[in-house]
Amino acid sequence: MALKIFFCALILKLASSASDQFTYNGFKGVNLSLDGLAGITSDGLLRLTNYTMHGMGHAFYSVPLRFKRSQVDNVASFSTTFVFVISPEHPMLGSAGFTFVLSPSKDLTHSLSNYFLGLVNMTNNGNASNHILAVEFDTWYSPEAKDINSNHVGIDINSYISNQSAPAGFTSDDNGKFESLILLSGEPMQAWIEYDGINMQLNVTIAPLWTPKPKVPLLSSTINLSNIILDHMYVGFTAAEGTSYSYHYILGWSFKMDVRAPELNLSSLPPLPKTSTSFEKNQKILSLWLPLVLSVLGLIIAAGATTVLVVRKKKFSELHDDWELEFESNRFHYEQLYKATRGFKDEYLLGVGGFGKVYRGVLPASKMEVAVKRVSHESKQGLREFVAEIVSLGKLRHRNLVQLLGYCRRKGELLLVYEYMPNGSLDGFLFSNGEKLLDWSMRYQIIKGVASGLQYLHEGWDTVVIHRDIKASNVLLDSDMNGRLGDFGLARLYDHGAAPQTTNVIGTLGFLAPELARVCKVTTSSDVFAFGAFLLEVVCGRRAIEPNKQEMEQVLVDWVFVNWKMGTIYETKDLLLGEDYVLEELDLVLKLGLLCSHPLPSARPSMRQVTQTLNGDSPLPPLTELNSCIISPVSVLIGK
Ligand SMILES: *[C@@H]1O[C@H](CO)[C@@H](O)[C@H](O)[C@H]1NC(C)=O
Ligand SMILES: *[C@@H]1O[C@H](CO)[C@@H](O)[C@H](O)[C@H]1NC(C)=O
Ligand SMILES: *[C@@H]1O[C@H](CO)[C@@H](O)[C@H](O)[C@H]1NC(C)=O
Ligand SMILES: *[C@@H]1O[C@H](CO)[C@@H](O)[C@H](O)[C@H]1NC(C)=O
Ligand SMILES: *[C@@H]1O[C@H](CO)[C@@H](O)[C@H](O)[C@H]1NC(C)=O
Ligand SMILES: *[C@@H]1O[C@H](CO)[C@@H](O)[C@H](O)[C@H]1NC(C)=O
Ligand SMILES: *[C@@H]1O[C@H](CO)[C@@H](O)[C@H](O)[C@H]1NC(C)=O
Ligand SMILES: *[C@@H]1O[C@H](CO)[C@@H](O)[C@H](O)[C@H]1NC(C)=O
């Protein structure tokens, strides 16, 4: 009897052999297969990526596990839990994200970074022969990947396009309420991924560290994995960076070929990574050494040093108010920006816009290129709302928006830090008198991009964001010549009465919808009106209003409208285009431009309709509405 029990115990022990389950509370001395940017830090953190643009990293358990046991094809149950931290270089800016992955091979080095997440590449994406199952933790909104937002968790099969996804968060066991989590917060979170082989149910749950596993999973999907999972698979992680970067860390990980993965001992996980920039380190070193230096060198030198410090303090002084504490993580130090732009030297001046001067800079610690906008403001009134709004707008992420990285506040001015756009603004190309050429395919790509960015502002966020100042000079071009909308939300500053030197009109003449003259309420359709004028600018290669032209041609919309009525609409196109254009596309954009510029807001299409039309997903709305315009659009406003 005793012997039998002993044998049973032995068999049980053999059945759940060491490779069937593992628990790592930290990774010191653990033998994982790592490649790319992945590594194990001296503290025992598993690092998947460090700050490297377009980099990626993979980490796999070194031997494959057996997922199909019986003769039948059924996939066994499995479960895993791990603790992760995503620590971005800039608090508002993610990179691509990371995944937990099951793969037949641990060599995924031919996959790509960015939204490919280090999982697949252009050629094998979506191919059933990949046999890849992944759970993605995605911090970047990529329309290509049909992402729902820039902070979500998804189940991916053979592809970077998720089968199912949900905004990051958890349902509280206490009150049943959904609590959002920000993956990029730099705070540790725990994830649980469980597959029930019998009911074929895959559950994914996340929660802040130390919160017990919530009962309701974030994602729950019934999937027959038989055709996806092979007999033997590797388990591990992939992570990828985009044009901005994050550290992706795993602090602890357990796995079991059964339903309940071993619990992690949360109190023995390695300490959290420190995220101080070298700038902060310098400051610490200064404050450590200063007292020592002072006591050694004595009073006279001390006095000198103090003077230097006072001067330095004044030079780099900033304004801080109590209400700003909550935005602290989005702040840059003035000294950082001062160094980045070499003291705001003229050679670093990129341009002077309606809101102030813009400088190019290179951040001292990360060497990241940025654009710094100095906006002067004297009044304190409304500043808090404005900063809150700027910070929340910075959370908007779309590849056709210029990303705001943070701000800094000094006496009389606000400094806004943006991603640097190497190709400058669109008007620099359109109105360069042929010095810089933009062919039709580039123009069409820019138009589609800006439309998609504006649609995101209008519909992609909890609150509708109205740009208020769409025009070619507010469209910037990134290194791939994609059009990106800049300056969104800045027009609000005028509302808050902070820059009183100009008129009350928010926006730019020629782009202002006629109804704004009557009711001073901006709407998404007034943005659409400006977008219409922008479309015409791009096709016709001229500004919305050119007072030096003959009277009939001064207002671009009017001129195109009249030409459309006379059947000569193509004569309005930019002569620099020559014969290089696609007639159908040109026709579509001109007519769309007129429709968007309709004097009646209700007759204008929505940005959703506009993008659908531009992408060929729906036909051009009928132009019958335009026929009824007796008076042409802009003249109403400028009172001709
Ligand atoms: C790590 O594991 C692999 C696969 O089992 C093995 O080949 C290798 O020798 C191990 N390395 C160390 C240092 O133990
Ligand atoms: C990131 O890791 C790679 C490979 O280990 C290394 O070459 C690079 O210098 C690291 N970069 C930073 C910023 O730590
Ligand atoms: C894509 O990935 C597959 C599998 O890793 C690889 O065989 C293929 O060569 C890759 N294709 C390219 C273009 O890199
Ligand atoms: C999927 O991958 C297999 C093997 O690499 C290849 O033979 C096949 O053509 C691919 N299928 C598609 C649709 O690309
Ligand atoms: C979902 O997964 C299946 C494989 O089970 C795949 O064939 C299908 O294309 C996926 N659907 C989406 C929308 O990604
Ligand atoms: C998945 O979640 C559902 C509740 O939504 C639960 O009934 C089921 O048991 C869970 N399955 C696993 C494998 O955890
Ligand atoms: C799952 O898919 C496999 C392969 O297509 C099939 O043989 C099996 O019957 C399916 N299981 C269930 C329960 O539908
Ligand atoms: C968890 O780790 C702590 C610190 O290393 C240790 O004191 C404790 O005994 C561990 N708990 C368990 C259940 O192993």
Side-chain angles (χ1 to χ4, degrees), residues 127 248 330 362 391 431 442-443 461 517 523 562 572 603 616 618 636:
N127 192 324
H248 294 93
N330 303 306
V362 178
V391 167
F431 313 131
M442 282 172 167
R443 293 190 200 204
W461 201 241
T523 58
V562 168
T572 60
S618 66
V636 179

Side-chain angles (χ1 to χ4, degrees), residues 538-580:
V538 177
V539 182
C540 306
R542 52 156 285 189
R543 296 181 194 276
I545 291 186
E546 292 191 355
N548 298 334
K549 286 224 173 352
Q550 295 177 8
E551 195 176 325
M552 206 186 84
E553 295 187 17
Q554 281 178 1
V555 179
L556 178 58
V557 184
D558 289 1
W559 184 53
V560 177
F561 180 74
V562 168
N563 273 283
W564 174 70
K565 286 223 130 179
M566 298 189 307
T568 53
I569 192 167
Y570 305 125
E571 283 173 22
T572 60
K573 73 170 196 313
D574 190 351
L575 292 178
L576 292 174
L577 280 172
E579 292 306 307
D580 157 51

